Amino acid sequence: MSAAENNYRNELQKWLGTDARISFFWKGRVALYAILKAAGVGKDDEVILPAFTCMVVPNVIIYLGAKPVYVDIDSGTFNIDETKIESKISSKTKVILAQNTFGQSANLNAIMSIAAKHKLLVVEDCAHGFGGSYDGKPNGTIAHAAFFSTQWSKPYSTGLGGIAVTRDNELGKKISSLSENAINPSLKERFILKALLTAHNILLNPFTYSLLVRIYRTLSRMKLVVASSENTELEGTDLPKGFLKKMSRTQMTKGVAALRNLKKNIEHRKMVAAQYSQIISELGGTACFKSDSAEHTFLRYSILVEDKEKFMLQAEKLKLEVGDWFVSPLHPVMSSWEKWFYSEGSCPVAENICKQIINLPTHEKINEKYISRIQQLLALQKIY
C-alpha cells in the first residue's frame, strides 16, 4: 500500500466516521464491478436497480453475466420506489442497488428491511451522493456496501475516480484484492487526467459550460481525452479491455485536497437550492423534494418542465448551464434498450419523468447574479 493510498483512506474514514474497508478504482463503475464480483454475482444472478440510471450501471451487471432487473421510481424523489421492489424479487435475485439520485438518499430503512427478509445484499449507489446522509449516518455507510463516483460533475471530484466501501470484513478483503491486482492507469491516461484537471479548474464556468461540454464529448469520441464513458460502453455490453483499473496517485492527492473544501461546497449547494425552491414556489411550481430523514447535497437541482426540448434550447440561447439528466431510463441511450434487458413501457413513471426533467446547476461558481438569470429562464415556461 502506497503512502498516498494510506493517507487518502485515513482521510476518508475520518470523513465517513467509520473504520469500514475502503478500496480505490479508476472510475465509480469499476468500484461497483469490484463490489459485485467480490460478492459472487455471476451468471444467471439478478440485480435489482432503479430504471432511472446511467447505462454504465446495468453494463457492470451484464459484464459479470448477471441480469439487471429494473424497478420504477418515485415521482417525487426520483429514487427507486421501494414499494415496487418485492414484486421484482425472484429466486435468482442477489443484490438490490439503492441509488441516491442527485444527492437525495433512497429510503434505506425500507430497502434494508426488504433485503433482510429475502436475504439479499444492498449496495448503495452513491455516485451522486458523497457528503449527504440518511438518518444521521453518512451516505455509503448504511448498507452492506457502497460505491462513490468522483467524476468531474460531482460535488466531491477527483476528475475521475471510484471508491468502494463496506463494513463486511470478508467482502472488503475480496474487494481490496481486486484493487491490488487491477492494472495501473497508463502514463498517457495519467498525463491527460492532470491536464484536464487543470483545464477544468481554469476554464469551466457557467458561461463556458455548454461549449466546453461539446468540445469534451467530441474529443472523447475521438479518443483524445480520458472520457467518463467510452464509446464501447455506450454501444454494447462487452467488458472493455483493461476495465478493472486502479486509481492513480493524482486522483488520491486531489481527493485529499477536495475533502478540505467539501463542507463549504455542500453548504453552497444547499443555499443555491433554497433560492431555487423559493423562486419555483413563487412561479407556482413544485420545489425539488427534500426528505426529512436525509441530507440532500444537491448534485443538481431537478424539476419537471412542460417542454424539455424547448427549455434546453432557451437555456442554450441564453448561455445558461442547464442539464438534461436523465434523457432515458438508461441515460444517455435512447434506443435498443433490450441490450440492457429493459423493456419499453415497463417503468412508466421513469419514462415520463425523463421527458420532462431538467437540472439546474448548484456548484460553487453559481452566484446571486447567475441565479437571477436562471429565474428569468424559469419564468419562460410552466414548471410542474
Side-chain angles (χ1 to χ4, degrees):
M1 182 189 301
S2 69
E5 182 177 350
N6 188 52
N7 183 44
Y8 192 22
R9 181 175 289 107
N10 289 339
E11 291 300 316
L12 283 171
Q13 286 177 332
K14 290 176 188 176
W15 177 272
L16 295 172
T18 178
D19 59 357
R21 296 187 70 101
I22 298 175
S23 298
F24 303 109
F25 299 90
W26 181 239
K27 296 179 181 179
R29 69 203 66 172
V30 185
L32 172 61
Y33 177 87
I35 291 170
L36 297 183
K37 187 175 180 66
V41 173
K43 184 173 174 57
D44 296 327
D45 288 331
E46 293 180 350
V47 176
I48 287 174
L49 71 163
F52 192 67
T53 185
C54 181
M55 46 71 60
V56 300
V57 176
N59 259 358
V60 164
I61 297 165
I62 297 168
Y63 294 162
L64 292 164
K67 176 184 176 182
V69 175
Y70 302 93
V71 174
D72 213 343
I73 61 172
D74 180 273
S75 60
T77 66
F78 309 132
N79 282 320
I80 193 168
D81 186 340
E82 67 276 3
T83 67
K84 297 177 181 176
I85 291 176
E86 284 199 276
S87 66
K88 297 296 182 78
I89 294 174
S90 74
S91 60
K92 296 180 179 180
T93 306
K94 198 154 189 175
V95 176
I96 300 172
L97 285 182
Q99 174 180 292
N100 43 50
T101 309
F102 305 123
Q104 174 73 62
S105 177
N107 186 352
L108 288 170
N109 285 340
I111 294 170
M112 293 295 287
S113 178
I114 292 167
K117 178 181 175 182
H118 296 275
K119 298 180 180 179
L120 304 174
L121 185 79
V122 177
V123 177
E124 284 183 75
D125 177 347
C126 296
H128 296 180
F130 194 102
S133 66
Y134 178 82
D135 264 359
K137 299 174 184 176
N139 289 345
T141 66
I142 303 157
H144 302 107
F147 75 96
F148 297 101
S149 167
T150 56
Q151 183 259 357
W152 306 102
S153 64
K154 307 303 191 296
Y156 175 62
S157 174
T158 61
L160 295 173
I163 303 167
V165 180
T166 182
R167 295 175 291 130
D168 184 311
N169 194 48
E170 288 305 309
L171 180 61
K173 286 180 181 178
K174 293 177 182 178
I175 297 170
S176 294
S177 177
L178 288 168
S179 175
E180 290 164 5
N181 290 290
I183 64 173
N184 287 304
S186 68
L187 180 63
K188 177 183 176 181
E189 286 173 323
R190 298 197 304 271
F191 175 80
I192 293 175
L193 181 59
K194 284 184 179 180
L196 287 173
L197 280 166
T198 301
H200 181 272
N201 292 336
I202 296 172
L203 300 177
L204 188 65
N205 61 61
F207 301 100
T208 62
Y209 175 83
S210 297
L211 175 61
L212 291 178
V213 166
R214 287 197 297 271
I215 293 172
Y216 177 71
R217 288 174 178 170
T218 299
L219 293 175
S220 297
R221 287 193 294 270
M222 297 170 67
K223 298 183 179 181
L224 296 177
V225 298
V226 179
S228 298
S229 295
E230 309 296 338
N231 289 342
T232 53
E233 294 178 279
L234 298 172
E235 296 167 358
T237 56
D238 294 330
L239 179 66
K241 184 179 179 180
F243 181 77
L244 187 58
K245 191 176 296 181
K246 296 180 181 181
M247 181 179 282
S248 68
R249 181 174 180 177
T250 295
Q251 292 160 292
M252 294 179 188
T253 303
K254 173 67 174 174
V256 172
L259 279 175
R260 301 188 190 111
N261 187 55
L262 186 56
K263 286 185 179 179
K264 180 182 176 183
N265 186 331
I266 291 173
E267 287 306 311
H268 176 83
R269 290 173 182 271
K270 288 158 71 174
M271 179 274 292
V272 171
Q275 293 194 48
Y276 285 152
S277 290
Q278 182 178 344
I279 290 167
I280 289 163
S281 295
E282 290 172 355
L283 291 171
T286 302
C288 187
F289 178 84
K290 183 177 178 298
S291 171
D292 292 334
S293 61
E295 180 182 10
H296 196 332
T297 52
F298 293 101
L299 164 64
R300 298 188 180 189
Y301 188 100
S302 297
I303 56 172
L304 306 181
V305 296
E306 184 175 43
D307 188 331
K308 181 172 181 174
E309 183 178 359
K310 181 180 177 182
F311 191 93
M312 295 300 295
L313 288 172
Q314 289 171 328
E316 186 174 1
K317 184 177 179 180
L318 294 171
K319 294 183 170 56
L320 289 171
E321 175 187 342
V322 174
D324 59 1
W325 291 4
F326 290 138
V327 297
S328 84
L330 305 176
H331 183 87
V333 178
M334 296 299 292
S335 62
S336 301
W337 291 339
E338 63 276 3
K339 289 182 185 178
W340 292 273
F341 297 92
Y342 183 83
S343 299
E344 186 173 359
S346 62
C347 296
V349 175
E351 290 179 28
N352 287 331
I353 284 175
C354 287
K355 296 173 184 176
Q356 295 180 298
I357 193 166
I358 60 93
N359 333 115
L360 305 177
T362 58
H363 54 74
E364 288 182 296
K365 294 184 180 179
I366 301 301
N367 55 28
E368 297 286 344
K369 183 177 179 180
Y370 201 83
I371 291 171
S372 295
R373 296 186 66 218
I374 290 284
Q375 182 175 9
Q376 294 171 13
L377 173 64
L378 293 171
L380 295 176
Q381 191 175 144
K382 181 178 180 181
I383 303 167
Y384 291 105

